[in-house]
Amino acid sequence: MRSLLLTILLFPLAASAADRARDLGIPFDGTPGRLNAITDVPGVTVGHSTIIADYPNGSAARSGVTAILPRGEDSLFLPVFGGSAVLNGAGEMTGTIWLEASGFLEGPVMITTTQSVGMVFEETIKWRVNKAERDVTGYAWSDPVVAETWGGRLNDENGFYVHGEHVAEALESAKGGPVEEGNVGGGTGMVCYQFKCGIGTASRVIETADGEFTVGALVQANYGWRDILRIGGAPVGQEMPVQQAADVRTPMDDEMGSIIVVIATDAPLLPHQLKRVATRAGLGIARVGGMASNGSGDIFVAFSTANARELRAGTNLTAGFLGNENISPVFTGAVLATEEAIVNALIAAKTMTGFNGNTVEAIDHEQLQNVLRKYNRLDEE
Amino acid sequence: MRSLLLTILLFPLAASAADRARDLGIPFDGTPGRLNAITDVPGVTVGHSTIIADYPNGSAARSGVTAILPRGEDSLFLPVFGGSAVLNGAGEMTGTIWLEASGFLEGPVMITTTQSVGMVFEETIKWRVNKAERDVTGYAWSDPVVAETWGGRLNDENGFYVHGEHVAEALESAKGGPVEEGNVGGGTGMVCYQFKCGIGTASRVIETADGEFTVGALVQANYGWRDILRIGGAPVGQEMPVQQAADVRTPMDDEMGSIIVVIATDAPLLPHQLKRVATRAGLGIARVGGMASNGSGDIFVAFSTANARELRAGTNLTAGFLGNENISPVFTGAVLATEEAIVNALIAAKTMTGFNGNTVEAIDHEQLQNVLRKYNRLDEE
Amino acid sequence: MRSLLLTILLFPLAASAADRARDLGIPFDGTPGRLNAITDVPGVTVGHSTIIADYPNGSAARSGVTAILPRGEDSLFLPVFGGSAVLNGAGEMTGTIWLEASGFLEGPVMITTTQSVGMVFEETIKWRVNKAERDVTGYAWSDPVVAETWGGRLNDENGFYVHGEHVAEALESAKGGPVEEGNVGGGTGMVCYQFKCGIGTASRVIETADGEFTVGALVQANYGWRDILRIGGAPVGQEMPVQQAADVRTPMDDEMGSIIVVIATDAPLLPHQLKRVATRAGLGIARVGGMASNGSGDIFVAFSTANARELRAGTNLTAGFLGNENISPVFTGAVLATEEAIVNALIAAKTMTGFNGNTVEAIDHEQLQNVLRKYNRLDEE
Amino acid sequence: MRSLLLTILLFPLAASAADRARDLGIPFDGTPGRLNAITDVPGVTVGHSTIIADYPNGSAARSGVTAILPRGEDSLFLPVFGGSAVLNGAGEMTGTIWLEASGFLEGPVMITTTQSVGMVFEETIKWRVNKAERDVTGYAWSDPVVAETWGGRLNDENGFYVHGEHVAEALESAKGGPVEEGNVGGGTGMVCYQFKCGIGTASRVIETADGEFTVGALVQANYGWRDILRIGGAPVGQEMPVQQAADVRTPMDDEMGSIIVVIATDAPLLPHQLKRVATRAGLGIARVGGMASNGSGDIFVAFSTANARELRAGTNLTAGFLGNENISPVFTGAVLATEEAIVNALIAAKTMTGFNGNTVEAIDHEQLQNVLRKYNRLDEE
């Protein structure tokens, strides 16, 4: 099928700086970091590889890979403490069995489309092997964290269009600074609340008894049906009903949805504390109306970039950590950053036509503002 | 200390029929059952024992016990399939290790105040032993489900005022029909969002491919600080700030909060499915703004009253169940019923003065309506 | 019923120093600590309260309480990192929801008989409240760890013979040094492999890259049927079959069995690592032939006494810990100490007659030695 | 690297019928099924693809794939109830998040070598897609169960020698009847207790109140160091010490070990019951001396082939199940079948030389018999 390739468009349809929820006057609680992105947590880098192509046989790729590196280039050699959580388990995040046992997240978090988990798993290992000086004993053991959401409305999932070059591109292009949102990377073909969706990010600066820290979230959002959507507490989904139900929603749509949430913080936390942080992503989803329906893979991972020196293998290790009584601001930050990241994904995404000629409309910003205004929930200066 | 007892008030300060959230015009999604209560699930009964007393030494009881019997009087002899879930584990629900292993909820769910878990555990067993014809081999094994939230703002937790008579009263008085809400039973001294709170209940009628079922929730709500409260999506907490912070909140208040959620349904579900249902209570809490802070015991149990004949001990057992692809309406019903049950607890509770002269004000209904009106979220006909 | 009390025998039937498995030549792997007891871990103290009484109405008490204090008298004020695990969940260990969430074991581990969990829970809190200088705000929150095994063959479980005085006795008498085994404390009426059983303990000294540490185990053993018993790998149960099956075993016996295992170490470990350590108790049980049958509550808790200074509440906390790659010796120590603790419980226990005139015979030491000799598994110098 | 291929040997080094543990007189408890294999459970099929090749650059393949199909060819269209468990999580088994949530095992269980999990994941989906009539909506969602153990002592893990053809071969060749053991399929390069190891299987026929059922186990065994090996309870490892430690063991060896256990039964069990069954594999490992060390991925999956008609998607579903009080024989069968499957893997494996010229010796059968004879544990007629 690949030999029949007619056109390949390999560029990001990234959101412009203006396309963020806050810029539209959508209200959120808490104080965002400078970029309002997961990269506000120092050291975290994000890269995307976006695959958009149409084939003469009718197949279409609207897919990609997103890579989050907890310590940027050092991630391969210096782990972070991490934890994971599942709200609804209709999905895959590899590597979590070892993450839970060890407490360590070793390497990047990769997010892609459902049928490409295997390829991304394989190619992430190969990328890692190539990065390392070849070990003379032939030793290597790798169990990368690879997660997915199902893009089959716009992407031909059985085209298996993600390859090693895309994995490498996502990993090699990872950087700090502003993060592209919407139709990029693993989020390219994603849909939430029956609007076009994809990648979103946000952050919160929190105050604790141990000082100020940052909590960032990045989501690949692909879940939910229209009616349940809430933004800023307003019943946006009910006010912006689906116009052409038959065209935009199939019976399987809400069942195939999923959301992957990655939470990063520089607050020093132990693995069992990070598991608690990961769990909070579900509360952020609920604030946007999410119901974690049967077919949704709502799977979360959280990590802390603190303790960089302390986590090198060796003896007499020590780790700093927040006392439990000081941890609640991290939880609140994770909830609020997840909520805003989802809305950012919705706002940044652009209308897309893909597989089988299916079109999924982006949410109309002006119409959304009107709804929020109706409910006195639009921040207008 | 009990011998110094000056006055004992042992009557329920129950909510009147008018004191429910819907009656005030608060908007909710979904269709409630006839009573909008957990007792809409046929067979479920609820009983309260409310303890309100003041002592000359300054100690005060604002405590009690609430009992939920999945199959009413048959609960001792006929189990239900059940499952439990923890959102934040700063609390106790005994009996869950066996519930998770066996898939069976055997007997009632009891809810009380923190320091009385042991007494309620002991006395629930004794009640059960007394109910049974004495077994000649001396056999008995019982591991009751007893949960708690911390009532120490209004109740002298170290007074240990719950006794066998209260456990028996809650169990013996359990009945179907309308459920008392607010300052009753285990919820007598509870506080949420720095308003007086307590017991609340609600239900949803759901449509599935297998037909119509009911999902009911009962909560003992005692968590959250003012700022985060949302009702109907409106930022109620921010609009109704705490007036006398020093008097209504101590540094430990939000840390000691908790919420126990009991979800009942007549939809036929297997234990692993009920565990998923229990998890959804957390989404309901999030819809009211809950953050599951470090000190909150957010612990949930769900059960199905279906399969009554099938769950008697024996051979060749069979159980009916919903296919996973038909289960999402149960999830949604659980989320929405939990949300409304919490708001019902807030609305039904009355201002209370208790231990150390502490007073916790009930939420002002008219002021709340004004806030909802401001956000165009008040249902007014 | 208590008023009909005829005789109360309240003394420990403790094992003599000679009554330990090693002294009989039973082979074990690994190197024990000085006392071959959980108290080899510095700071750990153990106390028992043993209840043996017969009543004219035919009721009989063969019950008690065992208390393990991770830091001795400091346990109330200085927590330890801890974790728990369940092999088969037909039993109760309260406090584990908070233990799992917080990573902290706060206070003692209490073990008793099934129907007395509630009383021990209540009285442990009261003991704690009495120990603390009364807090002027009335604050107290306690969720003690209380576990149980079912003693109903020899103890009238529905007599509820454990009271506050016994809880206090176990806690107040806790000390370091040699630990009484067999028919003492919570283990008084217990039976394993259809032999009299009860409390047992053992320890291992382990070498790691971080230096030498001690791992200790204490068990309350009450599980298994004769046929599956293995000691030193030899099929002891098959060689020492039950003589009077009708008299020693009822259909419920193997179903009602349970084993609680408490593992202590001074190796510095984080909570998620201690959860892994707790899991290893199951491997120790399997080495004695245990099958974790449906009715068995095989529930384990592990804690580390390291990081004493570091775990005081506050800011800028740090904790030492073993790198995962250095942790396996702790696992092995936990497995081997659990195995030997179980055999020590069997060896120390004495034949007992109790409720309904039931007698459970202790394992015959000489006969056991003969079986081990047959399989060339007796250490004879 | 593949272009440098000099010789490819692609044939199974299968165990002959004589090479099974029982045939050597090794004693086991319980009653095996007719073949003493997982395929004694009606409908279960097993296929292997074995990859053995040497390359001029020094790289070497000693790898492969093993496929277990719960319902043979029907597995793609008719799920089974299933559950999974982790004893030590240093490994990967994909698909378990959905298995735990749904209770369904959909499709085959695949086992391979560590670095090939991604490829097997991808190719299992492709095989499935090719099997299905192409869905016109482009729909497909697949999350296969793929597990691994690390074969790097004999296999160049970074050669990535498993490809689609091997996945297809394992799946297409799956059949009932006798199962090849030892150096085959995913087990080709595996090592346990520092002896050559690999695939093994066994079964037990169990009696329950609901009638007779079969429990089968298949293992890919690759864990443990010599000293801890026990067979028939005898300290075999201590009696057969490693001769050339430097050559057979590297510091990483015991850390990289793992064991995957697949348990099948025709006993009707619900998902939460199958999770309990899966847990029992750990007790079987302990009977052979396993310690679940830090680097070992001891991951288990259990399924029931009962309820074939009942598990088709639809409405008014029902499922038969054993009452919990009748389930213990299934547990015991799972423990004993796992134990024997491991020993069968050890006995069937042949000495192998592989990557870097490393040789791992098979266990000497005669020497083993001598050890068992010394401990009076050899069945000789």
Side-chain angles (χ1 to χ4, degrees):
Chain A
M1 183 188 297
R2 271 174 261 156
S3 62
L4 297 175
L5 176 65
L6 190 61
T7 60
I8 295 185
L9 315 172
L10 225 155
F11 60 89
L13 294 179
S16 71
D19 286 316
R20 307 202 75 193
R22 252 163 217 275
D23 302 322
L24 301 183
I26 299 173
F28 296 100
D29 291 330
T31 305
R34 192 174 61 86
L35 299 167
N36 199 13
I38 195 170
T39 44
D40 285 324
V41 179
V44 176
T45 63
V46 177
H48 299 298
S49 175
T50 303
I51 309 170
I52 298 175
D54 293 288
Y55 303 88
N57 68 346
S59 180
R62 300 290 185 275
S63 184
V65 182
T66 293
I68 301 98
L69 283 73
R71 299 192 192 277
E73 296 182 358
D74 293 344
S75 300
L76 294 183
F77 307 104
L78 190 58
V80 286
F81 276 148
S84 67
V86 176
L87 172 61
N88 194 62
E92 180 60 74
M93 181 183 280
T94 67
T96 54
I97 293 175
W98 176 231
L99 173 59
E100 289 301 300
S102 69
F104 285 102
L105 174 60
E106 300 171 340
V109 175
M110 309 296 288
I111 322 178
T112 186
T113 194
T114 301
Q115 304 295 66
S116 295
V117 165
M119 181 58 75
V120 175
F121 190 99
E122 169 107 349
E123 294 294 336
T124 300
I125 296 178
K126 286 183 177 168
W127 179 78
R128 187 166 181 174
V129 168
N130 288 334
K131 284 285 176 183
E133 202 181 307
R134 180 91 178 189
D135 186 310
V136 290
T137 64
Y139 168 73
W141 187 92
S142 197
D143 186 17
V145 173
V146 183
E148 51 72 47
T149 66
W150 185 81
R153 178 144 199 90
L154 295 169
N155 178 55
D156 182 358
E157 285 284 331
N158 294 334
F160 299 94
Y161 294 117
V162 177
H163 300 292
E165 69 214 57
H166 308 113
V167 172
E169 185 194 18
L171 286 161
E172 296 289 340
S173 70
K175 60 182 191 302
V179 176
E180 291 179 313
E181 297 177 305
N183 304 357
V184 292
T188 300
M190 300 304 154
V191 178
C192 50
Y193 302 104
Q194 298 171 268
F195 285 121
K196 186 67 190 69
C197 207
I199 299 291
T201 189
S203 71
R204 289 295 180 273
V205 176
I206 58 165
E207 301 289 338
T208 77
D210 281 52
E212 184 177 290
F213 299 104
T214 299
V215 183
L218 182 145
V219 305
Q220 180 167 310
N222 187 51
Y223 69 96
W225 58 100
R226 181 64 54 84
D227 191 59
I228 60 175
L229 173 60
R230 284 187 170 198
I231 295 180
V236 169
Q238 292 165 18
E239 295 282 350
M240 300 175 71
V242 173
Q243 296 303 314
Q244 301 148 289
D247 198 47
V248 185
R249 190 187 188 194
T250 70
M252 71 189 61
D253 277 13
D254 57 35
E255 290 299 319
M256 303 305 297
S258 285
I259 176 168
I260 302 299
V261 183
V262 182
I263 295 175
T265 185
D266 55 355
L269 296 171
L270 300 179
H272 74 290
Q273 295 177 312
L274 286 159
K275 186 171 184 59
R276 297 173 79 187
V277 173
T279 304
R280 268 62 191 177
L283 305 183
I285 294 168
R287 291 171 75 88
V288 196
M291 288 292 177
S293 64
N294 171 64
S296 192
D298 305 335
I299 310 180
F300 320 133
V301 60
F303 60 82
S304 163
T305 60
N307 292 309
R309 276 192 307 276
E310 294 80 354
L311 298 191
R312 296 178 191 278
T315 56
N316 295 313
L317 303 179
T318 61
F321 64 103
L322 294 186
N324 284 326
E325 66 279 9
N326 299 331
I327 204 177
S328 291
V330 185
F331 294 169
T332 302
V335 173
L336 297 176
T338 301
E339 175 192 12
E340 186 166 355
I342 295 167
V343 183
N344 276 337
L346 270 168
I347 295 300
K350 308 294 186 198
T351 297
M352 179 178 272
T353 300
F355 188 42
N356 286 330
N358 288 330
T359 295
V360 180
E361 301 283 344
I363 194 168
D364 185 288
H365 294 186
E366 195 175 338
Q367 196 180 349
L368 170 60
Q369 287 171 311
N370 288 338
V371 171
L372 293 175
R373 195 176 289 115
K374 172 178 174 183
Y375 290 98
N376 196 13
R377 290 295 279 158
L378 191 68
D379 287 340
E380 300 178 283
E381 56 276 68
Chain B
M1 184 188 296
R2 270 175 263 155
S3 61
L4 298 175
L5 176 63
L6 190 61
T7 59
I8 294 187
L9 314 171
L10 224 154
F11 59 89
L13 294 179
S16 72
D19 286 317
R20 307 203 74 193
R22 254 164 216 273
D23 302 322
L24 302 182
I26 298 173
F28 296 101
D29 292 329
T31 306
R34 192 173 61 85
L35 299 167
N36 198 14
I38 196 171
T39 45
D40 284 324
V41 179
V44 176
T45 63
V46 177
H48 298 299
S49 175
T50 302
I51 310 171
I52 297 176
D54 292 289
Y55 302 88
N57 67 347
S59 180
R62 300 289 185 275
S63 185
V65 182
T66 293
I68 300 97
L69 284 73
R71 299 192 192 278
E73 297 182 356
D74 293 345
S75 299
L76 293 183
F77 306 104
L78 190 58
V80 286
F81 276 149
S84 67
V86 176
L87 172 60
N88 194 61
E92 180 60 73
M93 182 184 280
T94 66
T96 54
I97 294 175
W98 177 230
L99 173 60
E100 288 301 300
S102 69
F104 285 103
L105 173 60
E106 301 172 340
V109 175
M110 310 296 289
I111 322 178
T112 186
T113 194
T114 300
Q115 304 293 66
S116 294
V117 164
M119 180 59 73
V120 174
F121 191 98
E122 169 109 346
E123 293 294 336
T124 301
I125 297 179
K126 285 182 177 168
W127 178 78
R128 189 168 179 172
V129 168
N130 287 334
K131 283 286 175 182
E133 202 181 308
R134 179 90 178 191
D135 187 312
V136 290
T137 65
Y139 167 73
W141 187 92
S142 197
D143 186 17
V145 173
V146 183
E148 53 71 47
T149 66
W150 185 81
R153 178 146 198 87
L154 294 170
N155 179 56
D156 182 357
E157 285 283 330
N158 294 334
F160 298 95
Y161 294 118
V162 177
H163 299 293
E165 69 214 59
H166 308 112
V167 172
E169 184 193 17
L171 286 161
E172 295 289 341
S173 70
K175 59 182 192 301
V179 175
E180 290 179 313
E181 297 177 306
N183 305 357
V184 292
T188 300
M190 299 305 154
V191 178
C192 48
Y193 301 104
Q194 297 171 266
F195 286 120
K196 186 67 190 68
C197 207
I199 299 291
T201 189
S203 71
R204 289 296 179 273
V205 176
I206 59 165
E207 302 288 338
T208 78
D210 280 53
E212 184 178 291
F213 299 105
T214 299
V215 183
L218 182 144
V219 305
Q220 179 166 311
N222 187 51
Y223 69 96
W225 57 99
R226 180 64 55 83
D227 190 60
I228 61 175
L229 173 61
R230 284 187 170 199
I231 296 180
V236 169
Q238 293 165 16
E239 295 283 349
M240 300 174 71
V242 173
Q243 296 303 315
Q244 301 148 291
D247 198 47
V248 185
R249 190 187 189 195
T250 69
M252 70 190 63
D253 276 13
D254 58 35
E255 290 299 319
M256 303 305 297
S258 285
I259 176 168
I260 302 299
V261 183
V262 181
I263 295 176
T265 185
D266 54 355
L269 296 171
L270 298 179
H272 75 290
Q273 295 177 312
L274 286 158
K275 186 170 185 60
R276 297 174 78 188
V277 173
T279 304
R280 267 63 191 175
L283 304 183
I285 294 168
R287 291 172 75 88
V288 196
M291 288 291 176
S293 63
N294 170 63
S296 191
D298 304 334
I299 310 178
F300 320 132
V301 60
F303 60 82
S304 162
T305 60
N307 291 309
R309 274 193 309 275
E310 293 80 355
L311 296 192
R312 296 177 191 278
T315 57
N316 296 313
L317 303 179
T318 62
F321 65 102
L322 294 186
N324 284 327
E325 66 278 9
N326 298 330
I327 204 178
S328 290
V330 184
F331 294 169
T332 302
V335 173
L336 296 175
T338 300
E339 175 193 12
E340 187 166 354
I342 295 167
V343 183
N344 276 336
L346 270 169
I347 297 300
K350 308 294 186 198
T351 296
M352 178 178 272
T353 299
F355 188 42
N356 286 331
N358 288 331
T359 295
V360 180
E361 301 284 342
I363 193 168
D364 185 288
H365 294 187
E366 196 174 337
Q367 197 180 348
L368 170 60
Q369 288 171 311
N370 288 338
V371 171
L372 294 176
R373 195 176 287 116
K374 171 178 175 183
Y375 290 98
N376 197 13
R377 288 295 279 158
L378 190 68
D379 287 340
E380 300 178 283
E381 54 278 67
Chain C
M1 185 187 296
R2 271 175 260 155
S3 61
L4 297 176
L5 177 63
L6 190 61
T7 59
I8 294 186
L9 315 171
L10 226 155
F11 59 89
L13 294 178
S16 72
D19 286 317
R20 306 202 76 193
R22 253 164 217 274
D23 302 321
L24 302 182
I26 298 174
F28 296 101
D29 292 331
T31 305
R34 193 173 60 86
L35 299 167
N36 198 13
I38 196 171
T39 45
D40 284 324
V41 178
V44 176
T45 63
V46 177
H48 298 298
S49 175
T50 303
I51 309 170
I52 298 176
D54 293 287
Y55 302 88
N57 67 346
S59 180
R62 300 290 184 275
S63 185
V65 182
T66 293
I68 300 97
L69 283 74
R71 298 192 193 276
E73 296 182 358
D74 293 343
S75 300
L76 293 183
F77 306 104
L78 189 58
V80 286
F81 276 149
S84 67
V86 176
L87 173 60
N88 194 62
E92 180 61 73
M93 182 184 281
T94 67
T96 55
I97 293 175
W98 177 231
L99 173 59
E100 289 301 300
S102 69
F104 285 103
L105 173 60
E106 301 171 340
V109 176
M110 310 295 289
I111 323 178
T112 186
T113 195
T114 300
Q115 303 295 67
S116 295
V117 164
M119 181 59 74
V120 174
F121 191 99
E122 168 107 349
E123 294 293 337
T124 300
I125 296 179
K126 286 183 178 169
W127 178 78
R128 188 167 180 173
V129 168
N130 288 334
K131 285 285 177 182
E133 202 182 308
R134 180 91 177 189
D135 186 310
V136 290
T137 65
Y139 168 73
W141 187 91
S142 197
D143 186 16
V145 173
V146 183
E148 52 72 46
T149 66
W150 185 80
R153 177 144 199 88
L154 294 170
N155 178 56
D156 182 357
E157 285 282 331
N158 293 335
F160 299 95
Y161 293 117
V162 177
H163 300 293
E165 69 214 58
H166 308 113
V167 172
E169 184 193 18
L171 286 162
E172 295 290 340
S173 70
K175 60 181 192 301
V179 175
E180 289 179 313
E181 297 177 305
N183 304 358
V184 293
T188 300
M190 300 304 154
V191 178
C192 50
Y193 301 103
Q194 297 171 271
F195 285 121
K196 187 67 190 68
C197 208
I199 299 291
T201 189
S203 71
R204 289 296 180 273
V205 176
I206 58 166
E207 301 289 338
T208 77
D210 280 52
E212 184 178 291
F213 299 104
T214 300
V215 182
L218 182 145
V219 304
Q220 180 167 310
N222 186 51
Y223 69 96
W225 58 100
R226 181 64 54 82
D227 191 59
I228 61 176
L229 173 61
R230 284 187 170 197
I231 295 179
V236 169
Q238 292 165 18
E239 294 283 350
M240 299 175 71
V242 173
Q243 296 303 314
Q244 300 148 290
D247 199 48
V248 184
R249 190 187 189 193
T250 69
M252 71 189 61
D253 278 12
D254 58 34
E255 290 299 318
M256 304 304 297
S258 287
I259 176 168
I260 302 300
V261 183
V262 182
I263 295 176
T265 186
D266 54 355
L269 296 171
L270 299 179
H272 75 291
Q273 295 177 313
L274 287 159
K275 187 171 185 60
R276 297 173 79 187
V277 173
T279 305
R280 268 60 191 177
L283 304 183
I285 294 168
R287 290 172 76 89
V288 196
M291 288 292 177
S293 64
N294 170 63
S296 192
D298 305 336
I299 310 178
F300 320 132
V301 61
F303 60 82
S304 163
T305 60
N307 291 309
R309 275 192 308 275
E310 293 80 354
L311 297 192
R312 296 177 192 277
T315 57
N316 296 313
L317 303 179
T318 62
F321 65 102
L322 294 186
N324 284 327
E325 65 279 10
N326 298 332
I327 204 177
S328 291
V330 184
F331 294 169
T332 303
V335 173
L336 296 176
T338 300
E339 176 192 12
E340 187 166 354
I342 295 167
V343 183
N344 276 337
L346 270 169
I347 297 300
K350 307 295 186 197
T351 297
M352 179 180 271
T353 299
F355 189 41
N356 286 330
N358 288 331
T359 295
V360 180
E361 301 283 344
I363 194 168
D364 184 289
H365 294 186
E366 196 176 336
Q367 197 180 348
L368 171 60
Q369 288 171 311
N370 288 338
V371 171
L372 293 175
R373 196 175 288 116
K374 172 178 173 183
Y375 290 98
N376 197 13
R377 290 294 278 159
L378 190 67
D379 287 340
E380 300 178 283
E381 54 278 65
Chain D
M1 185 186 297
R2 270 174 262 154
S3 62
L4 298 174
L5 175 64
L6 190 62
T7 59
I8 294 186
L9 315 171
L10 224 154
F11 59 91
L13 294 179
S16 72
D19 286 318
R20 306 202 75 193
R22 253 163 217 274
D23 301 322
L24 302 182
I26 298 173
F28 296 101
D29 292 329
T31 305
R34 192 173 61 86
L35 300 167
N36 197 14
I38 196 171
T39 45
D40 284 324
V41 179
V44 176
T45 63
V46 176
H48 298 298
S49 175
T50 303
I51 310 170
I52 297 176
D54 292 288
Y55 303 88
N57 66 347
S59 180
R62 300 290 184 274
S63 185
V65 183
T66 293
I68 301 97
L69 284 73
R71 299 191 192 279
E73 297 182 357
D74 293 344
S75 299
L76 293 182
F77 307 104
L78 190 58
V80 286
F81 276 149
S84 66
V86 176
L87 172 60
N88 194 62
E92 181 60 73
M93 182 184 280
T94 66
T96 54
I97 293 175
W98 177 230
L99 173 59
E100 289 301 300
S102 70
F104 285 103
L105 174 60
E106 301 172 341
V109 175
M110 310 296 288
I111 322 178
T112 186
T113 195
T114 300
Q115 304 293 67
S116 295
V117 164
M119 181 59 73
V120 175
F121 191 99
E122 169 108 347
E123 293 293 336
T124 300
I125 296 178
K126 286 182 176 168
W127 178 78
R128 189 168 179 173
V129 169
N130 288 334
K131 284 285 176 182
E133 202 182 307
R134 180 90 178 188
D135 187 311
V136 291
T137 64
Y139 167 73
W141 187 91
S142 196
D143 185 18
V145 174
V146 182
E148 54 70 48
T149 66
W150 185 80
R153 178 144 199 89
L154 294 170
N155 178 57
D156 182 357
E157 285 283 331
N158 294 335
F160 298 95
Y161 294 118
V162 177
H163 300 292
E165 69 214 59
H166 307 113
V167 172
E169 184 193 18
L171 286 161
E172 295 290 340
S173 70
K175 60 181 192 301
V179 175
E180 290 180 312
E181 297 177 306
N183 304 358
V184 292
T188 299
M190 299 304 155
V191 178
C192 48
Y193 302 103
Q194 297 171 269
F195 285 120
K196 186 67 190 68
C197 207
I199 299 290
T201 189
S203 71
R204 290 295 180 273
V205 176
I206 59 166
E207 301 288 338
T208 77
D210 280 53
E212 185 179 291
F213 298 105
T214 299
V215 182
L218 183 145
V219 304
Q220 180 166 312
N222 186 51
Y223 68 97
W225 58 99
R226 181 64 54 82
D227 191 59
I228 61 175
L229 173 61
R230 284 187 170 198
I231 295 180
V236 169
Q238 293 165 16
E239 294 282 350
M240 300 175 70
V242 173
Q243 297 303 314
Q244 301 150 290
D247 199 47
V248 186
R249 190 187 188 194
T250 70
M252 70 189 61
D253 277 13
D254 57 34
E255 289 300 319
M256 303 305 296
S258 285
I259 175 168
I260 301 300
V261 183
V262 182
I263 295 176
T265 185
D266 54 355
L269 296 171
L270 299 178
H272 74 291
Q273 295 177 313
L274 286 158
K275 187 171 184 59
R276 297 173 79 188
V277 173
T279 305
R280 268 62 191 176
L283 305 183
I285 294 168
R287 291 172 74 89
V288 196
M291 288 292 176
S293 64
N294 170 62
S296 191
D298 305 334
I299 310 179
F300 320 132
V301 60
F303 60 81
S304 163
T305 60
N307 292 310
R309 274 193 309 276
E310 292 80 354
L311 298 192
R312 296 178 191 278
T315 56
N316 296 313
L317 302 179
T318 62
F321 64 103
L322 294 186
N324 284 328
E325 65 278 10
N326 299 330
I327 203 177
S328 291
V330 184
F331 293 170
T332 303
V335 173
L336 297 176
T338 300
E339 176 193 11
E340 187 166 354
I342 295 167
V343 183
N344 276 337
L346 269 169
I347 296 300
K350 307 294 186 198
T351 296
M352 179 179 270
T353 300
F355 188 42
N356 286 331
N358 289 330
T359 295
V360 180
E361 301 284 342
I363 194 168
D364 185 289
H365 294 187
E366 196 175 338
Q367 198 180 347
L368 171 59
Q369 288 171 312
N370 288 339
V371 172
L372 294 175
R373 196 176 287 115
K374 172 178 175 183
Y375 289 98
N376 196 14
R377 288 296 279 158
L378 190 68
D379 288 339
E380 301 179 282
E381 53 276 67

